[in-house]
Amino acid sequence: MGAEEARIAEAVAWRPGNAIKRAEQALIAEKSRVLRPFGLTVPQYAAMYALSLAPGISGAKLARFCSVTPQSMTTVLKTLESRGLVERRPSSDHAQVLVTRLTRAGQALLRKADAAAVAVERRLVEEFTPDEADRLRDLLERAVVVLQDTPAGE
Amino acid sequence: MGAEEARIAEAVAWRPGNAIKRAEQALIAEKSRVLRPFGLTVPQYAAMYALSLAPGISGAKLARFCSVTPQSMTTVLKTLESRGLVERRPSSDHAQVLVTRLTRAGQALLRKADAAAVAVERRLVEEFTPDEADRLRDLLERAVVVLQDTPAGE
DNA sequence: CGATAACCATAAGAACTCTGATGGACATCA
DNA sequence: TGATGTCCATCAGAGTTCTTATGGTTATCG
């Protein structure tokens, strides 16, 4: 059956989307692995990291920054809040805004988890020359643009 | 607040993982969009496409081919089965294997959905010269390798 | 001042994903 | 023959994600 699997794999190799998908999967698998000792998932880490850069940001802004919907961010924040890693209070300025911040425990955990996450990125950076890294970013950015451009049919 | 968001975006720009993530998100967003008229999600389409290449494959093999866990594939197949797009029967050779195939309705739907999905890949291919496409595949493949290699610490 | 638009939070429902654990079937080899 | 190892399917539980829809607040503009 190995031969059949090779035949199948060949049939989809030409699709560039597959290369992107495999890379992303490897990336989140590795990040998940290094974050697991801290009890954090990748989305949880991403939210905490963003909160460390912009304390008190609204959930909606946080969602935009992490490229997820506000609903997704709400569930992530609820989990983090239940563990005492973040706290949410109504804003004094805007009654409908929930101000979200890392707790001291959250800050402490993030410091350790961030070191592990950054190490993964560093392994990626060190695999490439600066030129190659720029090239990769450029190619991926062009892929994003062509994908986001509404196609001719609409 | 736009200035703060720009400052934050800058703080993560160096991470190559972000470029990969954005590309993958754009890819699945676009594929979801073109598949929606057919009532298919990206994982459902991927499973049906794989089934068209290897009719009667086991769920476990299908999962490996689609790079998901057998558990995930089971949920996808259950959904497809409930819609009459695939059928699963115990194998005559191996009692514990469920042979999965596309139904006629599944084949008909896949033909139409595949045209839409391939069109997305084609837009991607046409954005790049053959050299660039090869370069992108190569860079991403190297990223996968470095991520999958167990790091020095272990 | 009032209407419209923009923004925020959240509920409901469906789908996908994983880890961990269980149990059955097959194959190989001692 | 029997033990070991491998493969398959599935349950249970937790987490993330989306779409769709609701309702409240703020800001802008006529």
Side-chain angles (χ1 to χ4, degrees):
Chain A
M1 190 72 83
E4 180 172 15
E5 287 173 7
R7 179 179 65 81
I8 298 175
E10 205 169 335
V12 290
W14 74 272
R15 301 197 183 193
N18 273 80
I20 295 174
K21 180 185 175 185
R22 278 206 311 275
E24 165 72 357
Q25 272 185 321
L27 183 66
I28 95 152
E30 182 60 11
K31 279 197 178 175
S32 297
R33 194 181 69 82
V34 303
L35 289 174
R36 188 161 316 137
F38 305 103
L40 291 178
T41 65
V42 174
Q44 286 165 3
Y45 161 75
M48 289 177 70
Y49 178 72
L51 277 174
S52 77
L53 293 177
I57 201 174
S58 75
K61 281 188 195 297
L62 198 54
R64 282 197 295 271
F65 177 66
C66 293
S67 302
V68 299
T69 59
Q71 292 89 333
S72 299
M73 184 53 66
T74 296
T75 68
V76 172
L77 291 179
K78 275 184 181 172
T79 303
L80 292 176
E81 191 175 20
S82 74
R83 293 187 200 160
L85 297 174
V86 307
E87 56 186 6
R88 315 189 72 189
R89 298 183 301 98
S91 165
S92 51
D93 292 350
H94 301 270
Q96 85 284 15
V97 172
L98 280 182
V99 168
T100 307
R101 293 173 192 280
L102 292 175
T103 61
R104 288 192 64 83
Q107 290 172 28
L109 183 62
L110 177 61
R111 267 195 298 274
K112 291 185 280 187
D114 192 48
V118 167
V120 173
E121 295 280 353
R122 194 171 351 262
R123 277 165 56 201
L124 219 41
V125 168
E126 290 172 355
E127 165 67 16
F128 302 113
T129 67
D131 273 359
E132 286 174 334
D134 286 346
R135 192 90 176 114
L136 177 58
R137 261 190 288 268
D138 174 61
L139 290 169
L140 289 173
E141 187 52 40
R142 282 168 58 193
V144 170
V145 169
V146 75
L147 286 169
Q148 285 178 345
D149 264 8
T150 304
E154 303 184 23
Chain B
M1 190 73 82
E4 180 172 15
E5 287 173 6
R7 180 180 64 80
I8 298 175
E10 205 169 335
V12 290
W14 74 272
R15 303 196 182 194
N18 272 80
I20 296 174
K21 180 185 175 186
R22 277 206 310 275
E24 165 72 357
Q25 272 186 323
L27 183 66
I28 94 152
E30 182 60 10
K31 279 196 179 173
S32 297
R33 193 180 70 81
V34 303
L35 289 174
R36 187 159 318 137
F38 305 104
L40 291 178
T41 65
V42 174
Q44 288 166 2
Y45 161 75
M48 290 178 70
Y49 178 72
L51 278 175
S52 76
L53 294 178
I57 202 174
S58 75
K61 281 188 196 296
L62 198 54
R64 282 198 295 274
F65 177 64
C66 292
S67 302
V68 299
T69 59
Q71 292 89 331
S72 298
M73 185 52 68
T74 296
T75 67
V76 172
L77 291 179
K78 275 183 181 172
T79 303
L80 291 176
E81 192 176 19
S82 74
R83 293 187 198 161
L85 298 174
V86 307
E87 55 186 5
R88 315 189 73 188
R89 297 182 303 97
S91 165
S92 51
D93 292 349
H94 301 270
Q96 84 284 15
V97 172
L98 280 182
V99 167
T100 307
R101 294 176 191 280
L102 291 175
T103 62
R104 288 192 64 84
Q107 291 173 27
L109 183 62
L110 176 62
R111 266 196 297 276
K112 290 185 279 185
D114 192 48
V118 168
V120 173
E121 295 281 351
R122 194 172 350 261
R123 276 165 57 200
L124 219 41
V125 169
E126 290 172 354
E127 165 66 16
F128 301 112
T129 68
D131 273 358
E132 285 175 335
D134 286 346
R135 192 93 176 109
L136 177 58
R137 262 191 287 267
D138 173 62
L139 290 169
L140 289 174
E141 187 53 39
R142 282 167 59 193
V144 170
V145 170
V146 75
L147 286 170
Q148 284 177 346
D149 266 6
T150 305
E154 303 182 22

